[in-house]
Amino acid sequence: MKLGRRKFACLAILSGGYDVPNRLRFRPLEHGTWRILRGLLLATAAAIAVPALAQDQPPQSSSDLQALSQDDHNWVMAAKNYASTRYSPLEQINTGNVGQLKLAWTFSVGPARGQEAAPLVVDGTMYVVAPYAGVYPNRVFALDATTGELKWWYSPKPNLAAQGVACCDVVSRGLAYDNGKVFLATLDMHAVALDAATGKELWVSKIGDIGTGETVTMAPLVVKGKVLIGNSGGELGVRGWLTALDEETGKIAWRAYGAGPDSEVLIGDDFKAPYDWMKGKDLGVKSWPPGAWKTGGATAWGWISYDPELDLIFYGTSNPGPWNPNQRPGDNLWSSTLFARDPDTGAAKWAYQLSPHDLWDHDEVNENILLDLDIDGQTRKVVVHPGRNGYMYVIDRASGRVLSADAYDAVTVYDGVDLKTGRIRPVHDKDPLMGKVVEDICPAPPGAKDWQPSAWSPKTRLLYVPHQHLCATFKAAEVGYIAGTPYVGATVDMYAGPGGYRGEFMAWDPVKRKKIWSIKEDFPVWSGALVTGGNVAFYGTMDRWFKAVDARSGQVLWQFRGGSGFIGQPITYLGNDGVQYVAILSGVGGWPGVVANAEVDPRVRNGALGFTGATQDLSAHTVGGSSLLVFALAKENVEKPAVAPSAAPPPAQPGP
Amino acid sequence: MAKNLRTDKSKDRRRAIGLALLALVLLLIPTRGASAQGTPPPGVQPAAPPPILPPPNANIGAQSYSGSGGAAALLGTPVSPLFPGGVGLAKAPAPNMNDKQAALRGMQNFTSFNCVGCHAPNGGGGMGPSLSNRTFLYGHDPANIYLSIYQGRPNGMPAWGGVLPDSAIWDLVAYITSISKAPSPQWGTTVSATKPEIEQVPAQYVVTPRPWDATEAFSNGRKSNANFGRQP
């Protein structure tokens, strides 16, 4: 440890210091005088335009997003709705006719890198974002959602060096929409607002610095007029945060850090820790070696949900840095933690650390599905969180207390979650002591499930979970901090878990706390899930199959061979022609897929932070791609007329 | 050409500090499993040989190739193989090409400067491209690799010239040249259900500047069999 600190100090000086900001030091971009002029022009235009619009449409407010999310013509946020169910009541495509699903149109988004984004559909227009590569990185396209006609595209000013600090492919998980604006967060730390109708840039805000190793890969979410964005970089010793920008101006309203003093984590008087061990002042400083929280990760690169009734947002933080846990004794709060915050101020209401002193890169940024479940005769408002650590958590979303946590995949490194204390129990025989080769770490560093989001059907009351099934060999080693470079300190080699398969698509009952059915896949299931009122669940595989299955039984009803593997998020919507469409991007990549879409050697197992070992044969099945695929039934196969949006009842479940 | 084109004193000072600190850093690297002369493990074996770690080298930071290897001396290095009119440019040779310890020192640098985080153990690639084969977009000659490290490259390779002394970069070049010597049964690359046929014994079992000397059958995503028989 002594060595580590000295090395740390030297390298910090060499690299110009690691002056991690203690305050908001980022400002909207300054473009000079013309920008002011442009602002005046825009304001004038808006003043003229608003009364004209008001005649045709009801006045728009931020609450419209909630209403739009319940109109099944649309898919206005990556998770479909604030409860993050990825459920659409549409039933034109159903178990009886999904076998007739045909390709309607396709579109190429450009770079053949990992396509993880969810397309959005708002009022007949589809918005989709490409990965950060090539001379038009993170290009945004607006397409007619019915015909596929291109309306406009927008490309941010490129800064391709950002690719060098992105840990796990140069992906984007999607855009956000509100009030006639499309919001883009670029890999190189810019937030951009675009006019949804024209693609015109409305504002640009620099929200971070790739020189510190931070990037953005997550899909922003708009809540009450604020664009919520979190950084990535838990593998580069960045200091994690979630930030809120005013959707009209791009100005930062608040920033909540994932570690550090309470004043910067935004833990105040109304914070209630669900368990005693998380009570105390400045635990985000004290649960680390001196100063280590400044380079300790706890980023917010995953999913955000929102409960309008409790007026709380929910999201999780990443692993602590470095991976080598011997360099950071302590609980490392608030890494691998689920936060509930006030969306107006960012103030934390509660926080629950799923993996204190994480040993295995078990981030907890995965999706949080907000449900009202009948548990032991009571209706409980819960968060269902499929943990990366392999446990399916059901958590009271008002208090943060764990109601249940059950393993849903092979787990060798934990021995359950103590429901009295809320603490997970690590298996100490597996502790990754410095230099020791520890075998059969299950789940592997990407966990039993990574970012790929689940879907919940209120009809079947089952959660559809795409996930991987991997174990790993792990060897910790000393690592020095050099700003803007990886801060990992582990040699990892992953491989297929028990049984030899590497992925699974399963239906889980969170009340009965058990797996109802399962489809084993050769490769990790790295795509998101979708489930519909037609009782069809959709997901894609890395070896190029896009599948529709019966949500009740798991029987595969239809599959389509794509041009490249699927790691995207399927969505569904009604076109202007009354036809139900299903869309997903094809293009393998992400952490498990760089071995097939980039210059990564499949014969060197420790590549891609050890993921190469587990997917080294992927490029014998697929290479990178960049196609948006949109499917529909032929007219003669549609049994029922489309449900008119005004007649569509709001979903009985999911919750808010 | 002048030996040293730099006139910026602060940069010289920074590099001098860098050199001193590098020496300090490398002196602090713990001495583990001292083994003889960096002998590579024997050839194709499913059972891995014991790990080989670099011998301590107290002179590592003070090693100097001044006058022959500076970036300024490499201004004439071509990146393109196309020479209009057929008039070529000469590539400068590596100043440490006869130093058998250079690759071992480079291996240590590869870890100390977090190269390993992007390019992965044994240069398998990940965040950055692999270095474990002969594909080098910006040239595979020692001078090309030196300049890629010194200057950085636009798609994400950081520019290390302000931090690392020349000798440290040349040692990295020696290591990278060593790990890039993949077996090459043909001119191009074929991938299929049965190719590739081999993989390296993974780095958690063998630490060596010559990882292609220890290979095993390709595992298709299943566990490496390199540790069979050596389970605790």
Side-chain angles (χ1 to χ4, degrees):
Chain A
M1 289 311 300
K2 197 175 177 187
L3 162 68
R5 280 200 296 279
R6 285 160 79 180
K7 204 155 109 181
F8 180 103
C10 296
L11 294 173
I13 294 162
L14 279 175
S15 57
Y18 57 100
D19 179 23
V20 181
N22 289 335
R23 60 200 150 73
L24 305 186
R25 66 173 187 181
F26 306 120
R27 305 180 301 276
L29 280 182
E30 289 165 27
H31 292 305
T33 320
W34 71 270
R35 189 169 182 275
I36 298 164
L37 289 172
R38 192 188 60 174
L40 283 171
L41 284 171
L42 277 175
T44 311
I48 295 163
V50 164
L53 280 172
Q55 293 170 0
D56 306 331
Q57 302 170 358
Q60 295 205 318
S61 72
S62 52
S63 65
D64 276 353
L65 201 51
Q66 171 80 337
L68 281 174
S69 75
Q70 288 169 356
D71 173 348
D72 297 309
H73 279 86
N74 296 330
W75 192 281
V76 289
M77 54 186 87
K80 174 68 163 95
N81 48 44
Y82 279 139
S84 299
T85 62
R86 290 178 161 81
Y87 169 79
S88 167
L90 292 176
E91 53 187 8
Q92 198 179 102
I93 298 167
N94 54 50
T95 52
N97 60 17
V98 68
Q100 309 299 318
L101 209 55
K102 295 282 190 298
L103 199 58
W105 54 270
T106 72
F107 183 79
S108 171
V109 299
R113 297 300 301 269
Q115 311 289 344
E116 289 188 352
L120 301 185
V121 176
V122 188
D123 296 336
T125 301
M126 178 183 288
Y127 304 94
V128 65
V129 60
Y132 199 92
V135 289
Y136 301 110
N138 276 162
R139 186 148 49 165
V140 179
F141 299 93
L143 303 155
D144 184 307
T146 308
T147 65
E149 188 170 314
L150 179 61
K151 294 184 169 184
W152 54 257
W153 62 260
Y154 167 85
S155 175
K157 187 179 172 189
N159 181 7
L160 295 176
Q163 297 172 108
V165 287
C167 82
C168 310
D169 204 358
V170 290
V171 299
S172 167
R173 302 193 179 85
L175 302 162
Y177 174 90
D178 194 30
N179 270 337
K181 299 183 193 69
V182 171
F183 302 98
L184 162 71
T186 66
L187 190 74
D188 76 332
M189 303 309 293
H190 291 79
V192 184
L194 302 173
D195 183 316
T198 65
K200 185 178 162 54
E201 190 177 285
L202 301 176
W203 52 254
V204 179
S205 186
K206 188 166 186 274
I207 55 172
D209 176 9
I210 60 166
T212 67
E214 62 186 352
T215 52
V216 181
T217 57
M218 55 93 78
L221 181 72
V222 183
V223 174
K224 297 171 80 178
K226 292 189 170 63
V227 187
L228 304 175
I229 302 174
N231 63 352
S232 305
E235 282 58 57
L236 290 100
V238 312
R239 191 179 170 203
W241 45 255
L242 181 74
T243 201
L245 290 83
D246 182 297
E247 74 165 43
E248 298 299 332
T249 64
K251 283 187 70 170
I252 290 176
W254 52 260
R255 177 165 292 186
Y257 287 94
D262 287 353
S263 59
E264 293 173 15
V265 182
L266 305 187
I267 287 177
D269 292 340
D270 53 353
F271 175 80
K272 285 200 177 66
Y275 300 98
D276 285 347
W277 56 274
M278 284 182 287
K279 289 177 182 160
K281 189 165 170 48
D282 293 333
L283 295 181
V285 170
K286 292 173 186 165
S287 60
W288 297 82
W293 54 271
K294 294 177 183 173
T295 54
T299 60
W301 61 273
W303 298 109
I304 308 166
S305 302
Y306 174 55
D307 179 344
E309 199 180 311
L310 294 176
D311 197 21
L312 291 176
I313 56 165
F314 303 90
Y315 73 98
T317 59
S318 81
N319 60 292
W323 284 15
N324 176 1
N326 302 289
Q327 287 178 248
R328 46 174 173 77
D331 277 352
N332 311 140
L333 289 158
W334 302 87
S335 64
S336 297
T337 295
L338 188 55
F339 271 106
R341 293 186 184 275
D342 178 331
D344 295 321
T345 63
K349 295 301 160 112
W350 57 259
Y352 167 61
Q353 189 180 35
L354 285 82
S355 291
H357 187 63
D358 163 59
L359 303 175
W360 311 113
D361 182 38
H362 287 166
D363 308 51
E364 288 300 348
V365 304
N366 291 357
E367 70 281 10
N368 298 294
I369 304 110
L370 311 185
L371 303 176
D372 293 351
L373 295 182
D374 293 325
I375 295 172
D376 299 333
Q378 276 185 296
T379 301
R380 304 291 298 259
K381 289 184 177 302
V382 303
V383 173
V384 177
H385 176 91
R388 183 143 150 173
N389 59 24
Y391 291 90
M392 184 70 71
Y393 287 81
V394 178
I395 295 171
D396 182 316
R397 71 175 179 265
S399 70
R401 284 186 72 90
V402 180
L403 303 178
S404 62
D406 302 285
Y408 62 91
D409 196 43
V411 176
T412 61
V413 292
Y414 306 110
D415 179 30
V417 177
D418 184 329
L419 295 183
K420 283 209 180 71
T421 64
R423 283 182 83 95
I424 198 165
R425 290 187 292 257
V427 172
H428 290 295
D429 287 354
K430 298 281 189 186
D431 282 352
L433 305 177
M434 198 79 86
K436 181 185 173 190
V437 177
V438 190
E439 309 265 355
D440 299 319
I441 301 307
C442 318
K449 193 182 138 324
D450 202 278
W451 75 279
Q452 63 272 45
S454 312
W456 164 261
S457 167
K459 288 181 82 168
T460 61
R461 303 193 71 75
L462 296 176
L463 187 69
Y464 300 92
V465 187
H467 71 105
Q468 60 271 10
H469 175 70
L470 304 172
C471 300
T473 301
F474 192 105
K475 182 183 178 186
E478 185 82 33
V479 61
Y481 176 77
I482 307 173
T485 72
Y487 188 47
V488 175
T491 299
V492 179
D493 175 8
M494 303 181 209
Y495 48 88
Y501 62 100
R502 291 173 279 188
E504 181 181 57
F505 187 67
M506 70 168 190
W508 179 273
D509 185 328
V511 174
K512 291 182 182 150
R513 299 163 56 186
K514 64 175 191 182
K515 204 178 286 190
I516 302 301
W517 54 255
S518 139
I519 302 170
K520 291 178 172 53
E521 294 286 355
D522 188 16
F523 286 96
V525 183
W526 206 258
S527 86
L530 161 70
V531 66
T532 70
N535 276 333
V536 184
F538 291 89
Y539 73 101
T541 71
M542 296 189 79
D543 54 354
R544 295 167 43 219
W545 290 110
F546 183 42
K547 298 188 179 184
V549 305
D550 187 320
R552 295 161 299 194
S553 65
Q555 186 191 354
V556 178
L557 302 172
W558 170 86
Q559 58 183 5
F560 179 87
R561 193 104 216 201
S564 175
F566 292 93
I567 59 164
Q569 301 168 56
I571 67 157
T572 190
Y573 59 95
L574 274 184
N576 289 336
D577 55 358
V579 170
Q580 181 186 355
Y581 292 90
V582 175
I584 187 170
L585 282 159
S586 160
V588 88
W591 187 9
V594 288
V595 71
N597 78 7
E599 213 268 289
V600 173
D601 194 329
R603 302 165 298 176
V604 186
R605 302 187 57 107
N606 308 102
L609 297 165
F611 222 136
T612 296
T615 51
Q616 57 183 175
D617 53 334
L618 183 62
S619 76
H621 298 262
T622 180
V623 298
S626 57
S627 289
L628 173 70
L629 305 179
V630 182
F631 300 90
L633 293 171
K635 291 260 192 247
E636 62 270 22
N637 292 321
V638 179
E639 290 157 6
K640 296 178 187 176
V643 181
S646 54
Q653 274 293 331
Chain B
M1 184 186 284
K3 262 182 165 180
N4 190 343
L5 297 177
R6 288 189 303 275
T7 53
D8 181 344
K9 283 186 177 166
S10 70
K11 190 177 180 196
D12 277 347
R13 196 159 52 239
R14 201 166 71 237
R15 286 169 60 79
I17 293 168
L19 192 78
L21 289 174
L22 176 75
L24 179 63
V25 167
L26 296 171
L27 281 168
L28 288 170
I29 288 165
T31 308
R32 288 172 297 185
S35 76
Q37 306 308 312
T39 312
V44 183
Q45 291 289 338
I52 291 175
L53 290 159
N57 189 325
N59 295 321
I60 188 164
Q63 193 80 32
S64 176
Y65 308 115
S66 60
S68 56
L74 299 170
L75 282 175
T77 301
V79 177
S80 168
L82 298 175
F83 301 108
V87 180
L89 289 167
K91 289 176 181 173
N96 58 349
M97 57 194 299
N98 296 319
D99 182 344
K100 289 193 174 15
Q101 299 303 308
L104 272 175
R105 291 192 304 266
M107 180 168 76
Q108 195 63 67
N109 293 354
F110 194 73
T111 298
S112 298
F113 297 102
N114 296 349
C115 314
V116 68
C118 288
H119 295 286
N122 296 344
M127 289 173 64
S130 62
L131 307 170
S132 54
N133 55 39
R134 288 143 211 255
T135 303
F136 285 82
L137 286 183
Y138 299 99
H140 63 265
D141 284 311
N144 293 128
I145 297 172
Y146 174 95
L147 288 172
S148 288
I149 297 169
Y150 187 96
Q151 300 173 320
R153 293 296 176 228
N155 283 304
M157 174 68 188
W160 288 92
V163 177
L164 296 181
D166 285 341
S167 58
I169 299 179
W170 281 119
D171 288 344
L172 280 167
V173 171
Y175 173 67
I176 291 162
T177 302
S178 176
I179 62 174
S180 69
K181 288 179 176 153
S184 176
Q186 60 181 37
W187 179 71
T189 302
T190 302
V191 168
S192 72
T194 56
K195 286 188 188 330
E197 292 170 332
I198 58 157
E199 64 189 22
Q200 289 179 3
V201 171
Q204 68 269 24
Y205 303 129
V206 187
V207 179
T208 165
R210 295 177 60 181
W212 284 115
D213 286 355
T215 60
E216 58 183 349
F218 195 68
S219 301
N220 286 300
R222 275 66 197 175
K223 192 175 183 181
S224 158
N225 61 15
N227 202 34
F228 287 3
R230 299 205 296 123
Q231 290 282 6

